Amino acid sequence: MPAISRPTSKDVAQEAGVSQSTVSLVLGGKWSGRVSPATARSVRDAAERLGYRPNQAARNLRLGTTRTVLLMVPTLSAPFFGPVYTGAARVAARHGFGVVVSTWPDDAEGPADSPFGSEEAIDGILASSMPVDVLGRFRETPAVMLDSGPGGGVPTVDFGVADGMRAIAGHLAGLGHRRFGHVAAAVDQWTFRARAEALAAVVAGLPGGALARGACAIDVASAKDAALRLLSGPRPPTALVCDDDLIAAGAYKAARALGLDVPADLSVTGFDDVLLATALEPELTTVRLPAEELGAQGMTALLGLLEGRRPASRVLPGELVVRASTAAPRSG
């Protein structure tokens, strides 16, 4: 059976009765003032009838661009980064860009090898939740940092994580809690440092406020162990403040192992408001971070950078979502 050939711009030109250069102008969006609206409609109609699609790879080669953005994230296992990608890809698609994702682990050996052979393979970078020095090998590539903190000489889109943690601490303090346990992510990133500093400041300002910290991986088993350590002292915390909803799931397991009821014996809070927050029983009080909007705003900023503008850094506020995992502490 003979192969079916794809229609070409020459076929479209013949179908519409125009030159190939006219087809290029119309389908490239550069016809205004150079081709009549009637001719433009004729070309587009001919392309649709023939099922013609421009060869994007050839077009990119002519323009000296790949129209590809690299989204770098620390891990693919955390549910938070899926919506970040979704938001970035949605905006990118509207402008004819694609998004590829790569993990960029921070370990003793340094960052992983780039998934690309050279800088020329990508037009821009979105780096989420990591230090700015990961951009070292892409010095000439436009970049925007997401949830990575201000500074570093590149545009940033961050969450208001300090305000979110202050909201959590204020909510618990308003319920009467004074003994806090911070089940903290053992990850040296701006977002977690900002949360820890905000929580410590609120507790320090409370009469009789006390704060103990237990570090853990962002993993249920590790979080359970850290929470068990915090809850095993002579005057354990009445509230566990967790850096992440997955960490909060580990805190639930620790409470259950000790025979503690959430929230009657122990209040637990999370951070991020991923789907897990409403799968837990009781449903989790947490801070909702607009992850999809982070990706969308980051891509918008990067597209502006690619067009020669200098986008202003911006901060997206979180939202305290109070559910059934928090209550007034028992006396004592």
Side-chain angles (χ1 to χ4, degrees):
M1 183 176 178
I4 300 174
S5 61
R6 291 180 54 183
T8 67
S9 61
K10 183 177 180 180
D11 297 326
V12 176
Q14 290 176 343
E15 177 77 9
V18 299
S19 68
Q20 278 186 267
S21 60
T22 298
V23 171
S24 296
L25 287 172
V26 172
L27 298 184
K30 299 179 180 180
W31 62 271
S32 183
R34 304 165 77 176
V35 175
S36 72
T39 298
R41 282 196 301 273
S42 176
V43 170
R44 286 195 293 266
D45 289 346
E48 186 174 350
R49 285 195 301 272
L50 295 174
Y52 171 74
R53 295 291 181 271
N55 186 327
Q56 192 65 42
R59 179 177 182 271
N60 291 343
L61 187 61
R62 290 195 303 274
L63 296 175
T65 176
T66 65
R67 300 188 78 78
T68 301
V69 169
L70 172 63
L71 172 62
M72 296 194 300
V73 298
T75 177
L76 294 177
S77 61
F80 172 80
F81 294 110
V84 174
Y85 167 80
T86 298
R90 170 168 49 83
V91 173
R94 291 205 300 262
H95 294 83
F97 279 76
V99 180
V100 294
V101 182
S102 175
T103 56
W104 208 264
D106 180 16
D107 56 31
E109 301 301 321
D113 290 337
S114 166
F116 299 98
S118 68
E119 291 185 48
E120 289 74 17
I122 54 174
D123 293 324
I125 296 171
L126 293 176
S128 183
S129 309
M130 56 185 61
V132 72
D133 59 15
V134 302
L135 300 176
R137 70 183 62 187
F138 293 100
R139 296 184 191 280
E140 304 303 318
T141 306
V144 173
M145 302 294 293
L146 308 179
D147 191 32
S148 301
V154 298
T156 59
V157 182
D158 290 320
F159 291 128
V161 290
D163 286 343
M165 185 58 87
R166 282 189 283 266
I168 282 280
H171 166 67
L172 291 169
L175 291 172
H177 292 277
R178 294 297 180 268
R179 300 200 307 273
F180 294 76
H182 184 193
V183 193
V187 180
D188 186 19
Q189 292 176 357
W190 165 83
T191 186
F192 296 120
R193 293 193 298 270
R195 298 173 204 200
E197 291 167 4
L199 176 61
V202 172
V203 176
L206 295 175
L211 176 64
R213 184 176 186 272
C216 65
I218 304 177
D219 166 84
V220 172
S222 179
K224 177 185 176 183
D225 290 342
L228 284 171
R229 292 192 296 272
L230 288 170
L231 295 170
S232 297
R235 283 181 60 78
T238 59
L240 291 181
V241 179
C242 303
D243 269 348
D244 177 275
D245 294 343
L246 195 63
I247 290 175
Y252 273 46
K253 291 177 76 72
R256 188 173 301 113
L258 295 173
L260 301 175
D261 179 78
V262 177
D265 301 311
L266 177 72
S267 287
V268 178
T269 65
F271 221 96
D272 290 349
D273 196 32
V274 297
L275 290 175
L276 176 63
T278 52
L280 292 171
E281 185 60 43
E283 294 187 1
L284 182 66
T285 294
T286 187
V287 171
R288 178 176 297 151
L289 297 180
E292 187 169 330
E293 184 64 15
L294 181 79
Q297 292 280 344
M299 181 58 69
T300 299
L302 182 58
L303 291 172
L305 201 60
L306 292 172
E307 292 172 358
R309 301 193 300 272
R310 181 68 180 183
S313 293
R314 57 197 81 177
V315 176
L316 305 180
E319 176 190 357
L320 175 65
V321 181
V322 177
R323 298 194 180 100
S325 68
T326 49
R330 294 187 188 276
S331 60

